[in-house]
Amino acid sequence: MSDVAERKALDLPTILDHAAALHAAHPSGPLPNGGQPYPDADHLASLPSAGTPYGDRKRLLVDLVRSVYHAVPSSTHAGKQLAEALASTHVDRRLAVRLSESVAHFDPSWRQQVGRELAYGGRERGTVSVGLALLTGVAEHNDAGPVRTLGLLCRPLGELAIRVLRGIPGAAGDLVWLAERSDPWRHAQAVEALCALAEPVTFGWLLKHGVRLDGPSITTAHRIAETVNIADQLAIDDINEDVVEQVGRVLLAMTQRAAGNAELRRYAAAQTALTRFAYAAPIMTATLDRLALIVGLLTDLDIGQAATLGWPRQELDRMRSALDHLLAQPAWVEVLETAVRSADPKIYHRAQWVVWARTTNRRPQPTGNTMDKATSRISIRVAVADPEYAGAVETRIFIDDRPIVVETFTAGPAEPPEYLLGVDHRLHADVEPHEVRLAEADCTEGCCGALYVTIQRRGDKVVWCDWRNPDTSDLTVPTFTFDAAQYDAEIARAESDHTWEWHERTVARLVRERLGEEPELLGRWDCHPGWMAAHPNDRGRIHVSYFYPRRPSAGEEPWLQFVAVLNVPAGQPAKVANDIVRALGDNDPRRQDRIAGGSQEAAQQLGFQWPPNRMQD
């Protein structure tokens, strides 16, 4: 570092002072905008672009720290030398997390002193990240205060701070403190750490606050259920109604496909917990939140993971009947009727979802037809999440009363109805066999697989065969044969049924259809339509994606993805969709503020600036 640069750096506050000052102004919750702007933003922007591949950058960082460790065994001088070397180095949180594993064998006292000097005195986030990496596993009780304060800068330092706190004996309370002030991702990481520690003093907090149904912490619901033992929580004689609700929320979180690999089925006590919840639910005072919670669990008992737990049919029917009976009681009916009349759009939409889910979205009833054992029956339902929370919209396929996709594939949600039941008619059966993807992993198919089936018409029968998952070679799903008349009628019914849609979802479907039918609308700008989205918990707008000047491919040609977030006014969906399409086609949609994907290099080649929020944190 030059003398001028060093003087400028010394004029900056330390990252710890920056976090502490923001916390003093905002003591109760997450820091505004995650603590940005960071004091080292100009310094970071002045560094050369980190174009080196990630693996090489990791190796260079480890070599740098290791060289200082061996060359300067005295921790008194090592901190300053390492800080000077790091000042001209790009270090992001991923590199620092990996670094903490590579320095685990270093002398603990060296790591403590150098780590504290860098973490608490550093003026660049990279330097502080390395300090926290050095402290991981060797920090002491007096480190908890400054470490949790640094963790308030969630994106660059939150994960590292959580890893340090997890290793400090008696710091569970500090993890709770940080979780309460963290963004959703770091909240989930803190909850995971608390479950690993499993300290009884935190169980009440985990049950009450560990799951946020609108965020990534639903992925920790299974760990919370096991750590707190939610089934036993419901067996207490004088159980509190709030505890019943909290256990219900953990159960509901495990039913969400976004929670990951069939979390409810992985929870050994799931049947016991659901049964005890069903019979404890009547002690709860009726509220809209609790009504929606019960309806969500009832829906899953009908067409979701809970229906696949191997229940005796009579026991499952009794439990559903108990919950249905509860919701028919006057207090619960009054809550729903009041919500349906509400002038608050969020309350009204949620009430409409409750009505739809209770009356329409139920499990297909067994036909009782035993004459043709060789012929199966197909039924289709659409699962829509509670609009209060983030959640997928899925096509649930039943074969002979079995939710076949939910049973067979656990790595992610079933495909949405727009994909399976839309204009491409993917579930139609033709003489020529064709393969259809029924579900895909949350990450991507290339990472954790997908579920495929081949569909073919053979005379008056339709056959589903050759099931496969690219991620596994031991998938065993039998071939199913359907009566073609029943199959065609059910597919036609499902394709024409849009009663599950809400206004924005209908508009998004119509926009998708229009852009697909008339590619020249975006083509005049060398753009190509991508996905369209309208989320249950994001009313009033849709997301429209498109690529320029080409879709992603295996080649090296540059491309960018744009996402337009567009307001959706009330009115006839067809007219609203036409207005949106016209606005997209009439005005250049390649707006700088809509860049959402591609690469920094592609942006430069195509004459755009890569968004600052996609740079290093």
Side-chain angles (χ1 to χ4, degrees), residues 359-394:
T359 59
T360 305
N361 206 25
R362 304 307 295 263
R363 188 183 187 90
Q365 294 300 311
T367 63
N369 179 14
T370 58
M371 296 180 61
D372 186 359
K373 296 286 188 180
T375 302
S376 293
R377 185 177 183 85
I378 190 169
S379 301
I380 296 176
R381 299 290 185 270
V382 175
V384 180
D386 181 346
E388 184 73 8
Y389 309 115
V393 177
E394 302 180 56

Side-chain angles (χ1 to χ4, degrees), residues 82 150 316 323 365 545 555 574 582 597:
L82 186 54
L150 286 169
L316 183 57
L323 292 173
Q365 294 300 311
S545 74
R582 187 182 307 112

Side-chain angles (χ1 to χ4, degrees), residues 108-232:
S109 61
W110 189 94
R111 288 168 58 196
Q112 284 177 342
Q113 185 162 338
V114 175
R116 287 166 181 156
E117 184 175 345
L118 299 182
Y120 309 153
R123 289 176 164 80
E124 295 91 24
R125 281 163 285 161
T127 301
V128 175
S129 297
V130 171
L132 290 173
L134 291 171
L135 283 172
T136 302
V138 297
E140 298 174 330
H141 183 69
N142 60 354
D143 291 302
V147 167
R148 74 180 195 179
T149 301
L150 286 169
L152 294 172
L153 303 178
C154 293
R155 292 189 66 190
L157 303 176
E159 180 181 1
L160 286 160
I162 290 165
R163 291 169 68 93
V164 175
L165 292 172
R166 178 173 172 172
I168 300 176
D174 297 283
L175 278 168
V176 168
W177 182 93
L178 183 54
E180 292 175 339
R181 295 163 175 80
S182 289
D183 64 17
W185 288 101
R186 263 48 68 169
H187 174 272
Q189 291 167 353
V191 169
E192 184 73 26
L194 287 165
C195 288
L197 293 175
E199 295 190 11
V201 69
T202 66
F203 287 178
W205 185 89
L206 282 170
L207 191 58
K208 186 176 182 179
H209 301 292
V211 168
R212 295 176 180 173
L213 289 170
D214 58 348
S217 62
I218 62 171
T219 61
T220 64
H222 171 231
R223 293 292 308 276
I224 293 172
E226 292 184 329
T227 301
V228 178
N229 197 345
I230 59 172
D232 282 359

